[in-house]
Every structure is written in C-alpha cells, then in structure tokens.
Amino acid sequence: MKKEIDRYLSTDFNLIEIIQPDENKISDVIKLLLEPDGVHGQGVLFLKIFLKKLEGFTNKDIFIDFSKVEIEREKTTSLLKDKENRRIDLLIKSDSYVIGIENKPWAGEQENQLEDYFNYLKELSGSKEFLLIYLHGFGEKPKSISEKTVEKNSDKFLFTSYRKFLIPWLNDCYKECESQKVRFFLKDFKEWILKNFRDIEEGN
C-alpha cells in the first residue's frame, strides 16, 4: 500500500533531509526566506510574519519601513574595538529597528560571544530600537552573556528555540504562501526541524 501511495506522494522524500544543512546553511535558508526581494517571490510576506511572531514573544510593537530593510549574513562586529572578528549570523536593519539573530542549532558559544553581540547592536542601533535573538536548536539558554546584562536589558533579548519560534513561523508562512513550489520547501524544512530538534524540557 505504501509503495502505491509513494508513487504519487513520495511521503519519505525530503530535500532538506537529503542535504543535511549545517549551521551556516540553516542561517542561509532563514535569510533567503526573510529577504523581501528573495527568490521565493512572496515579497515582504515572510518577513512580516516573522516580525509578527516577534511581537507575540516580546509584547512589543515593531514598526518598520519594509522598503528600507537590509538583511545581512555573517555581519562583522567592526564597531567594537578588538572584537572585529566576531560575526553575527543574521542582521536585520531598518529605518527604526535593528535585529540580530545568533543561530545555534548544535554548537556552543565562544567566550563572551553574546555579550559582544549585545554591545555591538547597542552601538550600531544608536537611537533605534534593537533586539538580540538567541535561536537554539534545543532551547538551551546562552552562557556567554552575564545575568546582570540580561536582567538590566531584558527587553532587548529573546532566547528561544527552533520548535518554539521557527515552527510557528514556518507554519504561518506555509499557510500564506501562494507559491506551491515554495510551500513544498517550507513543509520539508519544518518537518526536518521537527525530526531533528526537540526542546530540552520535552525530553528525548
């Protein structure tokens, strides 16, 4: 029966599973989806959904001019003296908001890594609002930033996981996406995450 079904539906076929992306490739995929002029052809849709999810997590309104958005990968922290070699995975810049994303599916952090990223975003944003997202595959809390910094600037951080943030985002992207080809990709990406990542509190 399954062979007959798979002749038409290929239920076990998942392009993401075949590729087995590493940390950099996962970040590349997230950037690709967030880009307003990306090859997905959906304009600002995925970015709008992403920001709406952020509003739900942070209880803050995020207003930006989508025509002035820049999304960068591996952005160097060049504004920090002696920290020029740091590279934040994703940076979303607009006229009124700066969002940094540190993506950690598996690997641990370097010493003071998030502390440096926080200071970089603070310097870069100037009078703009900013937010540092620590996106961990299994929901671990960061160890490279002091509790004092987090407590004093709690509204500048979001520590979350693939299942808690990426899955709801991808679900909504899938629902709103008008391209069947991209919908297949979103579904594969979501199912790959569900298969390979589970929050620590959920157990194995």
Side-chain angles (χ1 to χ4, degrees):
M1 177 66 74
K2 187 175 186 303
K3 285 185 178 180
E4 289 298 316
I5 293 173
D6 281 347
R7 182 178 298 175
Y8 303 100
L9 299 179
S10 305
T11 56
D12 293 329
F13 182 84
N14 185 311
L15 183 60
I16 308 295
E17 186 72 34
I18 294 169
I19 295 171
Q20 285 292 315
D22 58 11
E23 177 181 318
N24 284 324
K25 286 300 180 185
I26 295 171
S27 296
D28 287 342
V29 169
I30 294 171
K31 178 180 183 288
L32 179 149
L33 293 173
L34 289 175
E35 288 179 327
D37 58 349
V39 293
H40 49 70
Q42 305 304 295
V44 300
L45 176 64
F46 299 152
L47 178 58
K48 278 186 175 180
I49 296 172
F50 184 90
L51 296 178
K52 183 61 67 176
K53 291 297 176 190
L54 279 187
E55 289 181 339
F57 273 81
T58 61
N59 294 315
K60 294 171 64 176
D61 293 327
I62 301 176
F63 299 106
I64 68 171
D65 183 343
F66 288 99
S67 67
K68 297 179 180 178
V69 171
E70 294 179 52
I71 301 177
E72 300 179 67
R73 275 277 289 121
E74 295 287 325
K75 179 65 176 178
T76 57
T77 56
S78 54
L79 297 177
L80 298 181
K81 187 178 180 181
D82 300 325
K83 304 289 184 180
E84 295 88 351
N85 292 329
R86 293 280 201 214
R87 294 177 183 271
I88 191 163
D89 289 320
L90 283 157
L91 187 69
I92 304 172
K93 294 191 298 182
S94 74
D95 58 323
S96 58
Y97 226 99
V98 178
I99 300 170
I101 304 172
E102 182 57 19
N103 176 35
K104 290 289 185 187
W106 303 282
E109 306 143 64
Q110 299 171 14
E111 186 177 2
N112 297 324
Q113 187 174 9
L114 251 64
E115 194 85 37
D116 291 340
Y117 290 161
F118 169 77
N119 290 328
Y120 169 71
L121 292 177
K122 186 177 180 180
E123 187 75 20
L124 177 68
S125 59
S127 60
K128 301 176 185 177
E129 287 285 333
F130 75 91
L131 181 70
L132 175 57
I133 302 172
Y134 181 73
L135 183 62
H136 194 279
F138 299 91
E140 290 185 7
K141 295 294 187 287
K143 301 176 178 66
S144 60
I145 190 165
S146 70
E147 291 183 8
K148 182 179 179 180
T149 300
V150 175
E151 289 173 2
K152 189 177 179 180
N153 305 276
S154 59
D155 63 328
K156 304 298 184 185
F157 295 100
L158 173 61
F159 304 148
T160 188
S161 70
Y162 279 26
R163 282 193 171 226
K164 287 179 179 174
F165 190 87
L166 287 188
I167 293 300
W169 174 53
L170 292 171
N171 278 336
D172 285 355
C173 289
Y174 180 85
K175 292 174 186 175
E176 298 290 334
C177 181
E178 296 185 73
S179 166
Q180 191 65 22
K181 191 173 184 180
V182 177
R183 280 166 61 88
F184 286 143
F185 179 81
L186 291 167
K187 185 173 182 290
D188 279 355
F189 190 31
K190 183 192 81 169
E191 290 180 351
W192 178 78
I193 290 173
L194 289 173
K195 180 179 179 180
N196 290 278
F197 298 94
R198 184 182 297 273
D199 285 0
I200 292 172
E201 62 263 28
E202 294 179 4
N204 296 320

